Amino acid sequence: MSLYLAELRRLGKRRLTRFVLVLLILGLGAIVVAMTASSQKSGPAAKAKAEVAAEADYQEQMGYHRQFVARCEAAKEAGTSQQQGMPTDCAEITPPQREWFSVEHYLPFELDFRELFPIFIAVFAGILALAAYLVAASFVGAEWSSGGMTNLLLWRPKRLTVLLTKLGAVLTGVLATGLLLGALWTVAFWLIGRYDGTLGGMTPGVWRSFALDGARGLGLVLAVTTVGFGLASLGRHTAMALGAAVAVGVISEAGLRIATSVIGVPFPGRWILSSYALAWFNKKWTLIDVQSCAFDPVNGCVPKEFTITWQHSAIVFAAGTALVLLATLWTMRRRDVA
Amino acid sequence: MTAVLEIRDLSKTYRTLRRGRRQALAGFDMTVAAGEVHGFLGPNGSGKTTTLRTLLGLIRPDGGEMRLLGQPVPERLAEVAGRVGAIVESPQFFPHFSARDTLSLLADAGDVPRTRVGEVLELVGLRDRAKDRIRTYSLGMKQRVAVASALLKRPELLILDEPANGLDPGGIREMRDLMRSLAADGMTVLLSSHILGEIQQICDSVTIISLGRRVAAGPVEEVLRAHSAASVRVRLEAADDLPRAAAALTEAGGQVTSLPDHLLVAAERPAWITRTLADRGLYVSELAPITVDLESVFLELTGTAPVAGQARQVDESVVVGGHA
C-alpha cells in the first residue's frame, strides 16, 4: 500500500502529468466555450427571423430561375439553345420549391443535449485517451531511462509487484481524472443545453444510455493507458510507446487502407483499428462494399454490408491490451535490469 | 567471523544478437565479513557491476550461489532488501525532482519515516540544496544523493559502487570519513572503487576481480604481502663499498640488484643483511624495506599496468594463471 501511495504521489508530482492535465483542461474548456458561443436558443424571435431569411432566399432563387428561363427563351428564339447549353424546352428548367428552404436550416445552431451529447462523450474519451497514453508511457518510460526504476527495484526487489503497482497508480489517476472531468463535462453540456440549447426528451433511460457510453469511453481510455504504459515498459523508454502509436497510425490507418484497396479486399475497414473505435462508441459500425453492388432490375442495387458491433470491438481491444500487458510482464520478469 | 555476503561460483554470460556471447562472470567467489569495510576492485569491464547487480536482483545469474545477510538471493532478496542499502554505478535520478522529493518518495515506498530524509541529507551535506532540482546538481552532488538514498533505511550492509565518482577532494575525504564512521557504528560496507589509495586507507579487506574471476582476496595487508616481491634498499656509508657488499650478500645466498647509489636485496630480513655486511666490515647507513601499495598489486594482478606506446583495450586483463 505504501508503494502504491508513493507511486500516486510520484505521478502527481511529475511535471509532464501536470502539464498534460492543464492542456487537457484547456482543450476541453475551449470546446465548451466554443459550444457555448455557437449555440443559441430558438425562441419565437429567432424563428421569425429564420422564416424571413428562408423566404428571402427563396425569392432570390426564384429571381435567378426567372432570369435563366428568360435567357433560355431568348436562345430558343435565336436558335442558339444548343450552343449556349440550354434545353430546347425551357419548361424543363425546374423552379426552386418553397419546401427546400426549410425554416430549420435558417435557425442558429442550437445544442440538442439528447441528440449531440453522445458525440461529445466520444470526443471527451478520445482526448482523454491521448493524454492518458502520453502520461502513462512517460510515467514508466522516464523511470526506466532515468534510472528511477533501478532505484525502486533496489528498494522493492519484486519486479512484477513494482510494475503492476505503478500501472495501478497510473490507472487510478486516469480513472479519477476521467470521472471528475467527465462529470464536469456532462454538467457543462447540460448547462449549455439548459440555457443556450434544448434538453428536450431527457428521460432516465437516456441518462442510463449516457452513463453506458461514458463507461465504454472510460474503458477504452483505461485500455489505451495500459497499452501506452506497457509499450514504454517493453522498450524501457517513452519513445517506444510514442513510436508504436505513430506506427499503428501509419500502418493501420494509411498502409492497410491503401494495401487492401489495391488488392481489392472486401470491407477493408474491418482491418482498421479506427473502425472498431467507431463501433465501440456507436454500438455498431456498418461497412459497405460498394464494389459488390451489381444492378438488379427487380431489387435495385443492394451492396453487401459488414457490421462491426461493440462486442467485436471489446474482443479486439481486450485481446490487444492483454497481449501487450502479458509481453510487458514477461519481459519485466525475465530481462536483466542493466 | 559471520559472513554478511557470500558469493560462490557465480557465472553470468550476456548474449546479444549484435555482439554475441560475452562472459561477464566465470565462477566468481567473494565473502564479506560482518562489520568490515570491504573493497571490491577490478578494471573496467571486469564484472564488478555485474556482480553487484546480480547480488541485488537486477540481473539474473546463469549459475552459482549468493547469500545476503544469511539469506539465499535472489530467492529471499525481498526479505533482506530492507536491511541492504545500495547504489550501483553512476547515480541516476529523475532530473525534475528535488533531492528531498526523490528521497521522500523512496522513503514512502520503503515504509521509512520521512524524518529520516532530513537526517541523511544532513549527513551527506545536501541540507541547503535539498529543494533544488537534481538536474541542477553536479555529478558529485548526485553521488551524494545516491549515498543518501542508500543510507535512508539504516542498512546493516551498505553496497556502494564508485561512491567517490565525481566528488571533489574535500568530498572524497568526507566520503572516507563517512565510511569510517558507518563502519565504526557496526555497518558492513562493500565499496567498489578505482581510487585505490582510498581503498587501501579505509578497507579492512579486499577482493580483486579480473575478467569475471577472483584473482585475490583477504585482508589488505595479507594481499599486499602475498603479492609483493618484498625487497630492502641498502645504502652504505661509502658508495665505493657497494660492489663488495653486493658480492658478500650474493655469496651468503641473497638476491641482489646493484644500482648506482644503493642495492636492492630481495625477500631478506633486515637483520640478516646487517649481520652479513658487518661481519665483513661493511656498515649500513640506510636499510629501508621497499613497500608495495595496493595500486601496484592491482596493476600486477589484473595485468592493466600501462605500457609506454600501447593503448590498452578495456577487456585486456589477466585471468588466473595466465594472460588473456
Side-chain angles (χ1 to χ4, degrees):
Chain A
M1 196 62 187
S2 57
L3 179 62
Y4 172 73
L5 294 175
E7 288 307 311
L8 269 182
R9 213 177 126 225
R10 187 192 305 276
L11 179 67
K13 273 189 164 293
R14 297 199 67 228
R15 206 168 55 150
L16 185 84
T17 308
R18 293 174 179 182
F19 180 67
V20 169
L21 187 61
V22 169
L23 271 186
L24 183 65
I25 291 169
L26 287 177
L28 294 174
I31 293 173
V32 169
V33 169
M35 291 310 297
T36 310
S38 57
S39 180
Q40 291 176 38
K41 232 177 185 24
S42 312
K47 279 182 183 161
K49 201 174 162 185
E51 275 170 14
V52 169
E55 183 59 25
D57 263 9
Y58 173 65
Q59 291 305 332
E60 189 182 7
Q61 292 303 316
M62 280 303 289
Y64 292 144
H65 173 71
R66 279 191 290 272
Q67 285 173 21
F68 191 61
V69 170
R71 284 212 308 276
C72 178
E73 294 292 352
K76 189 177 175 184
E77 277 178 26
T80 58
S81 297
Q82 212 163 0
Q83 289 94 316
Q84 293 186 43
M86 297 287 186
T88 48
D89 182 4
C90 296
E92 282 180 3
I93 302 171
T94 314
Q97 304 298 303
R98 181 63 183 85
E99 61 267 25
W100 294 354
F101 299 87
S102 164
V103 176
E104 283 76 43
H105 298 154
Y106 291 86
L107 283 170
F109 169 70
E110 182 184 31
L111 184 123
D112 184 340
F113 184 66
R114 180 179 186 276
E115 194 72 28
L116 294 178
F117 191 58
I119 295 170
F120 286 101
I121 291 175
V123 169
F124 173 81
I127 294 172
L128 182 63
L130 276 177
Y133 186 85
L134 181 61
V135 167
S138 169
F139 185 56
V140 70
E143 287 284 308
W144 274 116
S145 52
S146 74
M149 185 65 89
T150 305
N151 283 336
L152 203 52
L153 289 173
L154 290 178
W155 279 69
R156 292 276 187 141
K158 289 190 169 178
R159 296 185 182 194
L160 295 188
T161 306
V162 166
L163 193 74
L164 288 173
T165 304
K166 282 185 103 63
L167 176 60
V170 77
L171 287 175
T172 305
V174 169
L175 183 63
T177 308
L179 287 173
L180 181 66
L181 290 181
L184 292 173
W185 186 250
T186 308
V187 169
F189 275 87
W190 185 86
L191 288 173
I192 296 170
R194 170 75 179 78
Y195 293 104
D196 293 322
T198 175
L199 294 175
M202 290 303 295
T203 61
V206 174
W207 280 113
R208 265 198 303 278
S209 174
F210 285 177
L212 284 173
D213 286 351
R216 277 205 306 277
L218 272 181
L220 185 61
V221 168
L222 294 179
V224 167
T225 306
T226 306
V227 169
F229 181 93
L231 290 173
S233 186
L234 271 173
R236 298 189 173 179
H237 207 291
T238 310
M240 168 72 177
L242 303 185
V246 173
V248 166
V250 171
I251 292 170
S252 171
E253 301 306 318
L256 276 177
R257 208 179 281 276
I258 294 167
T260 48
S261 68
V262 168
I263 300 167
V265 174
F267 308 112
R270 67 178 156 166
W271 305 108
I272 292 163
L273 216 50
S274 57
S275 302
Y276 291 86
L278 289 166
W280 181 251
F281 283 112
N282 295 311
K283 299 185 185 71
K284 66 175 186 176
W285 188 252
T286 303
L287 304 168
I288 298 167
D289 183 9
V290 287
Q291 308 275 338
S292 70
C293 182
F295 181 70
D296 180 337
V298 180
N299 299 315
C301 175
V302 186
K304 288 181 185 170
E305 290 185 348
F306 183 88
T307 301
I308 301 172
T309 63
W310 71 269
Q311 288 93 338
H312 292 139
S313 301
I315 292 168
V316 168
F317 293 144
T321 307
L323 193 68
V324 170
L325 189 58
L326 285 174
T328 305
L329 295 177
W330 188 82
T331 52
M332 183 66 179
R333 196 176 158 79
R334 301 291 305 176
R335 262 180 76 186
D336 290 338
V337 183
Chain B
M1 180 194 81
T2 310
V4 293
L5 188 159
E6 293 169 275
I7 296 175
R8 294 281 169 270
D9 203 23
L10 189 64
S11 61
K12 172 69 184 177
T13 299
Y14 292 111
R15 294 172 183 85
T16 58
L17 286 175
R18 206 167 43 165
R19 294 180 195 162
R21 284 165 50 93
R22 190 178 71 79
Q23 192 168 38
L25 294 172
F28 178 69
D29 300 314
M30 180 158 75
T31 304
V32 178
E36 70 176 14
V37 181
H38 189 96
F40 186 27
L41 313 177
N44 293 334
S46 59
K48 292 192 304 295
T49 299
T50 298
T51 302
L52 297 183
R53 283 181 177 266
T54 307
L55 195 63
L56 296 165
L58 300 174
I59 291 177
R60 186 183 294 267
D62 296 330
E65 292 173 19
M66 298 177 290
R67 295 181 83 82
L68 268 180
L69 300 169
Q71 300 297 327
V73 292
E75 296 83 8
R76 300 179 76 172
L77 181 60
E79 291 171 33
V80 294
R83 295 153 62 198
V84 179
I87 55 170
V88 283
E89 261 186 334
S90 52
Q92 292 179 317
F93 296 101
F94 200 62
H96 300 296
F97 285 176
S98 68
R100 184 172 288 281
D101 283 343
T102 301
L103 294 177
S104 72
L105 283 167
L106 280 176
D108 284 358
D111 291 325
V112 172
R114 284 196 200 167
T115 49
R116 178 71 182 150
V117 172
E119 291 171 18
V120 292
L121 283 168
E122 176 77 35
L123 203 60
V124 299
L126 282 176
R127 182 192 57 208
D128 297 335
R129 296 288 304 273
K131 289 182 180 172
D132 293 354
R133 284 182 181 173
I134 287 180
R135 65 181 296 195
T136 66
Y137 285 11
S138 65
L139 179 60
M141 290 166 71
K142 287 178 190 168
Q143 199 70 49
R144 288 167 193 258
V145 180
V147 174
S149 74
L151 291 173
L152 208 50
K153 45 190 168 180
R154 297 181 198 276
E156 291 170 40
L157 171 62
L158 185 63
I159 299 174
L160 303 174
D161 193 3
E162 297 290 348
N165 201 11
L167 293 181
D168 53 27
I172 292 174
R173 176 170 286 192
E174 285 167 20
M175 195 61 70
R176 187 201 309 154
D177 293 343
L178 179 63
M179 301 295 119
R180 277 190 179 136
S181 92
L182 292 172
D185 290 345
M187 193 183 292
T188 307
V189 182
L190 174 62
L191 189 61
S192 158
S193 176
H194 284 129
I195 306 177
L196 301 178
E198 288 298 308
I199 293 278
Q200 192 168 350
Q201 279 192 59
I202 64 172
C203 289
D204 304 304
S205 58
V206 290
T207 296
I208 301 179
I209 181 174
S210 183
L211 290 178
R213 290 180 189 176
R214 184 174 73 182
V215 291
V220 174
E221 293 76 18
E222 275 184 25
V223 170
L224 291 175
R225 202 163 41 241
H227 295 91
S228 64
S231 58
V232 178
R233 184 171 59 232
V234 181
R235 290 184 204 275
L236 301 180
E237 286 180 334
D240 296 346
D241 292 337
L242 282 174
R244 275 181 60 216
L249 289 168
T250 306
E251 193 180 306
Q255 289 183 357
V256 182
T257 306
S258 294
L259 293 164
D261 60 344
H262 67 274
L263 303 176
L264 283 180
V265 184
E268 292 296 350
R269 287 172 292 116
W272 176 84
I273 295 169
T274 314
R275 190 169 56 248
T276 305
L277 293 178
D279 287 348
R280 287 159 177 78
L282 297 165
Y283 299 102
V284 171
S285 65
E286 181 187 330
L287 196 61
I290 306 293
T291 56
V292 292
D293 58 10
L294 197 54
E295 182 175 292
S296 52
V297 172
F298 175 85
L299 294 175
E300 179 206 329
L301 283 172
T302 59
T304 52
V307 178
Q310 287 183 23
R312 186 180 63 83
Q313 302 305 301
V314 166
D315 288 334
E316 286 180 20
S317 307
V318 299
V319 292
V320 176
H323 282 266

